[in-house]
Amino acid sequence: MPAAAPPPTSPGSSRRARGTASRRRGRRDGARVAEVALWRRIAGPAVVAALAATAGWGFHRVFPAADLLAVVVPSALVPAVVAALTRNRPLWLALVLDVVLWLAATVPLYGAFTLAFASDLTNSWQALLTTLLPAPAEPRLLILTHTLVWLAAVTGAETLTRTRLRIAPALPALLVYGVALVLGVDGEGSNLATSAALLVMVGLLLVLREDRPALWLLPVLPAIGVVTLVAVLLGPVLPMAREPYDPRRDAELPPPVRVDSVSPLDRVSAWLQIPDRPLFTVKADKPLNWRLAVLDRYDGVRWTSGGRFQPTGGRVTSDAWTGATTTVRQTVTFQGLPGTWLPAADRPVEVKGARGLAADPESGALLTSAATGKGFTYQVTSEVAAPTKDELLHAVPVADPGLTAFPVGPQEKLFRKLAQDATRGADVPIRQAYRLQNFLRTTAKYDITAPPGHSLKALEFFLDTTYRGTSEQFASSFALMARTLGLPARVVVGFRPGQAKDGVYHVRSGDVMAWAEIKFDKLGWRPFYPTPGKSGAKDDHDVVSSAIEESEQLEGEFGQSGASKAKEPAPKGKPVPVAESTSYWWVIAPVVVAAYLLLALVLPWWRRRSRRVATPDARRVMGAWHQACQDLGVVGKHSLTASEIVARHPAVEELQPLAALANHVRYAPDTLPPHAATEAWRYSDAIRAHTRRTTPLRTRLTHRLNPKTLIRP
């Protein structure tokens, strides 16, 4: 039988079949599109959040890593989540949520809700420029990183979700990273890996904005890796990497302050009267002198510290000595030591466990603003200088008028004559110091019952009448006599190692001592011990005895032929060819220029506003004065008085009354008249208008773009 023919199909059924197939293909394509859209909605904000977090990690040279991560991660993640969830909502709603959540995030940062974050945010950048890195992880400083990372995440995420721009979402993070690089120039570690990570994520962001499938990333990732590797290799040879600009060199440090109501030098005689009082213990690798306070300013009555103490998270910068050192680790526990000074072996480079720590970079002296009762413990790592005999023999004192100043008075003649007599025949500075040390150790006696005090009158009585004193008088006399010879000298108060027991040195009040130091070029401060031992010419303290023995050996070296001869210049070798530097600015020039222009636009406005709204009125008056000085171009000339600045600008009529208000704040802040701040800013605004009228536009732009005038507070 013939096969049955297929049933005929009507035109309507054929159209229905084609429609069904088309709808199926549409659903499949729609599912693929929805899958791609969902993937991009997740990947885009994630990359932006990673960019902001990586830029915030650039502050790891500024803050300790653990505390920094606790701030950076939520600051980068929360705005990205908000942007993803509100992509179809009005922008104002997303921004309101971001502000509310930013305020909520300050609660765990500060431990409670407080409005102090506003003033902290304004002052944090200036505080960081006057802080030794790593900075302490305090809310008043971390608020800057918290806010910058949050702003970068908000701006980048909202730009990503609401525009089709490709590179723009990455720019805020790159600007924040630029700020981190500038503030972390003096910190430890490297940001090379961070820079590489940023380049990788910028490349990923560009790929995501191309609207291509996820599999398209596979051949692109190796290319991004190659570009990143090239950038990492070229990074160290960039001019800005070889010699980065450090804004801390131009930042105005806080003025010297009196750090304790009673100077440790004034306590020496009192401590010696009760020698068995426990002060602190030190668990250390070896016995050393534990220095407490460094005093380098003398007014004829007392020695004080001129140190400019800066907050620090534990790191203390080293002094001028760059030679061989011995590392000594100490654990100090207080038992009854009063005051805010922290004892440590010279020279401390790292301190752990001390809250409210501040250090003087010049002297290495340590302070704390925290309570230091019995049981207070901290750890110190010190690098003790170990110069060679040749380095000591050829030491040259530095030229510093502040360290050779002698107060006006008739006693200077006595000190100078005694110093010259004691060092007669010594033609080398360090030999003069040794002779002076030996003179005091052999012509006067150590006596704890001698009258206390180190004024010029008291020291004159000691040198010309009694010839008896404690280390307070011996160290003070040595330093002043050395100054009459042109040797830069200061006084140090500290303690002998103490009594050793089971690897711990127990320091009592009777171990207190003062010694003197002289500063030499490339050698730093060297100690001298002019105080004789209790038995007369010899000292019963091992550290001092070894130092005296060393000085006697070096003194003998000068008598040998050629020992005091000047060093012959080293033979000149063949000149080392210097390779021509290659510029790779094209890699980062657009980002650097954009960041700097934005900084030049925003920072002066922010600085002026913070000065105008500062509290109390005295700060507003001084803010008006500093703003006027900045507008006139005298920023950085800190040695000029207000009268000298007025004399230099006689054509500015408003400068004289503004200077009078500034002087009023400096010398009588408690009697500041009402509305003084308003008047001060009226004068400052008039001065600003005057300078804008009389200064060419090109000069104003040059001044504004100058890094020194831009970064300096």
Side-chain angles (χ1 to χ4, degrees), residues 183-226:
L183 292 179
V185 166
D186 191 41
E188 295 180 325
S190 172
N191 268 319
L192 201 57
T194 309
S195 302
L198 279 174
L199 286 175
V200 169
M201 282 178 281
V202 169
L204 288 176
L205 183 65
L206 290 175
V207 172
L208 289 174
R209 304 298 273 177
E210 288 291 337
D211 289 335
R212 295 182 182 273
L215 292 177
W216 194 76
L217 290 175
L218 294 179
V220 175
L221 288 176
I224 295 176
V226 171

Side-chain angles (χ1 to χ4, degrees), residues 250-341:
D250 298 316
E252 184 177 358
L253 294 177
V257 295
R258 186 173 175 179
V259 296
D260 204 346
S261 58
V262 179
S263 169
L265 190 59
D266 295 330
R267 300 181 190 267
V268 171
S269 293
W271 273 332
L272 291 173
Q273 302 305 315
I274 45 173
D276 295 327
R277 177 184 176 185
L279 296 183
F280 59 94
T281 63
V282 183
K283 184 179 181 181
D285 306 333
K286 58 187 296 187
L288 289 170
N289 288 335
W290 318 119
R291 64 165 48 200
L292 184 66
V294 178
L295 311 173
D296 55 0
R297 296 290 182 265
Y298 187 68
D299 59 4
V301 178
R302 62 183 305 180
W303 285 93
T304 56
S305 171
R308 296 178 180 270
F309 290 88
Q310 299 175 245
T312 176
R315 175 170 164 257
V316 184
T317 55
S318 60
D319 62 358
W321 173 244
T322 57
T325 59
T326 301
T327 302
V328 179
R329 295 176 175 83
Q330 314 125 68
T331 300
V332 183
T333 302
F334 275 37
Q335 291 183 319
L337 182 66
T340 59
W341 300 90

